[in-house]
Amino acid sequence: MSSAITKLHKEPEIREQLTTSETFNASDADVVFKSSDNVLFYIHRKNLEVHAAGFPPPEISTNNKIVSLSEDASTFENLFPYIYPMRCPNIDLLPFQDLSKLAEAAEKYQVYSVMQICKLRMV
């Protein structure tokens, strides 16, 4: 009687390597965004509510889940300073491709101050 030997082969579990933004990592943040390149941004909803009309209002709960967004970390590192009382990046030094990504994100998330600055820089 021959016995069939069955080997169980498990596919290796692929886990995303997540890192956290060095600038946007507040321990008291109430929303966490994940960029397309797996960087976490810990942001305060109140700042979003006041400075960025394109994000969901505070009444919509994220249930402490990470919210994945389509933009890369570099774009958010340039965008999020405009929703906080901090020194903003010098947009004049951004390569055009990065400036274009920032302008698109500013339009998408309705960060009006960045929209105007990008518009002036791109003409």
Side-chain angles (χ1 to χ4, degrees):
M1 185 172 195
S2 72
S3 65
I5 299 175
T6 306
K7 290 186 179 180
L8 295 177
H9 177 69
K10 278 190 169 181
E11 290 296 319
E13 207 175 290
I14 299 173
R15 292 187 180 231
E16 296 174 308
Q17 292 287 30
L18 298 176
T19 58
T20 300
S21 166
E22 290 182 20
T23 307
F24 301 100
N25 59 8
S27 60
D28 63 340
D30 42 8
V31 65
V32 181
F33 294 118
K34 183 180 81 165
S35 65
S36 62
D37 48 353
N38 297 323
V39 178
L40 300 177
F41 292 84
Y42 292 78
I43 304 294
H44 298 96
R45 277 187 177 270
K46 195 64 163 171
N47 291 64
L48 292 172
E49 180 184 343
V50 172
H51 298 284
F55 287 100
E59 306 82 63
I60 298 176
S61 173
T62 58
N63 295 325
N64 298 321
K65 293 182 182 173
I66 295 172
V67 179
S68 295
L69 301 175
S70 59
E71 293 77 16
D72 63 20
S74 175
T75 301
F76 288 124
E77 291 289 351
N78 288 315
L79 181 70
F80 286 147
Y82 289 91
I83 68 167
Y84 279 93
M86 65 189 308
R87 185 176 299 266
C88 295
N90 185 349
I91 289 185
D92 290 335
L93 301 177
L94 285 179
F96 188 80
Q97 182 178 357
D98 293 343
L99 180 64
S100 178
K101 288 195 249 178
L102 177 60
E104 286 179 26
E107 287 283 338
K108 179 178 179 180
Y109 300 114
Q110 299 176 15
V111 183
Y112 297 112
S113 58
V114 182
M115 290 166 57
Q116 184 61 29
I117 292 169
C118 289
K119 180 180 176 183
L120 291 172
R121 172 71 169 77
M122 294 176 94
V123 256

